[in-house]
Amino acid sequence: MSERVMRCEDAAPLLDGFVDAELEGATLIDVARHAAACTSCDATLQELIALHETLGGHGRADADSVDLSGLWRSLEPQLVQADARRAWRRRLRTTPVWASALAIAASALFFLSPRTAAPPQSVATQVARRPNQAFIERIDSEGGRFELRRDRKNGTMLIMVSATGDDLP
Amino acid sequence: MTRVALVSVCVVTVLSLAQQQALALEVQITAVEASYEGPSDPRLLDMRPRLRRLVGYRAFRVLQDERRYCAWRSPAAFSLPGGRLVHVMPKGMRGDEVMMHVQVINGPRSLVDTDLRLQNRGYMLIGVDDDVHAPGILLIMLKAVE
């Protein structure tokens, strides 16, 4: 088995991978052997390890010190809306074409139909009572003909009877 | 003893009259001649524009005005010029409306026979055009006050 001798120019690009434990076993051992014999590469390696530990420690400390509860509260509604939008899109994709057409037609009817000012009640309360309004419940005439007229403003009722056969005035 | 009996009779009479009055409906029938020309009655000046719009004539003259208390569910007859009759029977109240049966008769003919509801203190009109020789028509104003 031949022993591979690693030079500084071979080891230098692998030092970061060595510190991060990203190298394969054989390469990792070769870099370790070279660093043990090379003071320059060993010094570089020590700096990298120290930097790695410093960064790692800082990152953990920062992560421990961050309070994410407030961040979550502010993000949660947006996440819910995003989820709802996603669900709606998913539902739309699975809705049959006829159902979509029906929904569009219903929406068009709703927006194009005339609006009423008040919620619907009984017919009696919808019609505004005029001050002199009268109601005919039954009417009959023998031989003559009659015509009902009503004053629009006050609701005054006129029963006009003609027994002469002439046109009503 | 006689004095007590007299006072009792008076009290009973007054009470029964008051009760009858309270249950009665005041009906006013006004007969008006409507024509194309001539002066209008000053009593009708306020109503003249409305009458003109409804009837189509321009001049209005009061021929007869009768006001009477009518008992509920009892027919009452009002005579009008020209031998016509108006039969009125107050049937009851529904809220602020007076329910009545009204019939206008000329000789053997019933010109109008109607059941109607009238606003309390309100009035309605019945126009009768049954005389070819008359220059205008007869207008009957019917008012009810409970």
Side-chain angles (χ1 to χ4, degrees):
Chain A
M1 185 176 159
S2 62
E3 198 175 307
R4 220 174 48 169
V5 178
M6 188 175 275
R7 295 175 299 180
C8 284
E9 43 279 32
D10 298 325
L14 300 171
L15 293 178
D16 280 322
F18 179 81
V19 172
D20 292 327
E22 291 172 356
L23 300 177
E24 291 176 3
T27 309
L28 190 71
I29 291 168
D30 286 345
V31 171
R33 280 184 183 155
H34 173 77
C38 176
T39 52
S40 169
C41 284
D42 183 54
T44 305
L45 198 59
Q46 292 304 321
E47 283 174 11
L48 283 173
I49 290 170
L51 181 66
H52 181 267
E53 283 179 356
T54 307
L55 285 175
H58 255 299
R60 275 193 301 275
D62 287 345
D64 290 340
S65 66
V66 169
D67 180 14
L68 291 176
S69 58
L71 180 69
W72 181 251
R73 267 201 301 274
S74 62
L75 281 176
E76 195 175 27
Q78 296 175 34
L79 289 172
V80 168
Q81 283 180 2
D83 284 343
R85 275 197 295 272
R86 260 200 302 275
W88 176 242
R89 283 195 209 104
R90 201 162 43 239
R91 227 174 285 142
L92 269 182
R93 277 199 294 271
T94 56
T95 306
V97 176
W98 63 267
S100 305
L102 203 64
I104 291 167
S107 305
L109 269 178
F110 176 76
F111 285 112
L112 295 177
S113 60
R115 298 285 191 273
T116 52
Q121 297 170 9
S122 69
V123 175
T125 53
Q126 277 180 357
V127 178
R129 286 291 294 271
R130 283 169 285 191
N132 195 36
Q133 194 153 340
F135 296 94
I136 304 289
E137 293 182 335
R138 181 193 61 84
I139 188 163
D140 193 15
S141 177
E142 286 178 7
R145 56 194 190 88
F146 58 85
E147 182 184 317
L148 299 179
R149 300 176 189 173
R150 191 188 292 275
D151 176 52
R152 286 185 184 178
K153 190 178 174 186
N154 294 285
T156 305
M157 173 80 78
L158 166 70
I159 302 173
M160 194 69 203
V161 187
S162 172
T164 61
D166 295 340
D167 288 337
L168 293 166
Chain B
M1 190 68 182
T2 314
R3 234 182 240 174
V4 172
L6 273 173
V7 169
S8 301
V9 168
C10 287
V11 167
V12 168
T13 308
V14 167
L15 283 176
S16 63
L17 281 174
Q19 189 183 12
Q20 192 179 355
Q21 189 76 1
L23 292 172
L25 179 78
E26 187 186 32
V27 177
Q28 181 179 4
I29 302 280
T30 308
V32 176
E33 183 191 59
S35 55
Y36 283 113
E37 48 191 27
S40 283
D41 201 299
R43 288 175 284 180
L44 298 172
L45 279 180
D46 290 344
M47 298 178 61
R48 192 164 166 261
R50 197 181 308 171
L51 294 176
R52 280 188 65 173
R53 280 198 303 272
L54 274 169
V55 185
Y57 289 92
R58 294 174 186 164
F60 303 94
R61 188 164 62 95
V62 175
L63 300 175
Q64 181 184 309
D65 189 15
E66 187 176 354
R67 194 179 302 201
R68 196 190 305 171
Y69 283 98
C70 302
W72 294 108
R73 300 213 154 266
S74 293
F78 292 76
S79 297
L80 295 178
R84 304 177 188 94
L85 279 174
V86 179
H87 285 181
V88 176
M89 187 177 77
K91 295 199 292 185
M93 295 289 295
R94 186 193 289 177
D96 198 37
E97 292 175 338
V98 182
M99 296 186 292
M100 307 170 77
H101 173 233
V102 178
Q103 193 175 18
V104 180
I105 297 170
N106 188 10
R109 294 175 68 187
S110 170
L111 300 176
V112 183
D113 186 350
T114 181
D115 290 316
L116 53 91
R117 284 184 284 136
L118 201 58
Q119 287 275 89
N120 188 19
R121 301 179 181 278
Y123 66 92
M124 66 165 297
L125 304 163
I126 300 173
V128 179
D129 181 19
D130 63 345
D131 187 355
V132 288
H133 304 295
I137 63 163
L138 174 71
L139 205 55
I140 303 164
M141 293 176 60
L142 172 67
K143 185 177 181 180
V145 179
E146 198 259 340

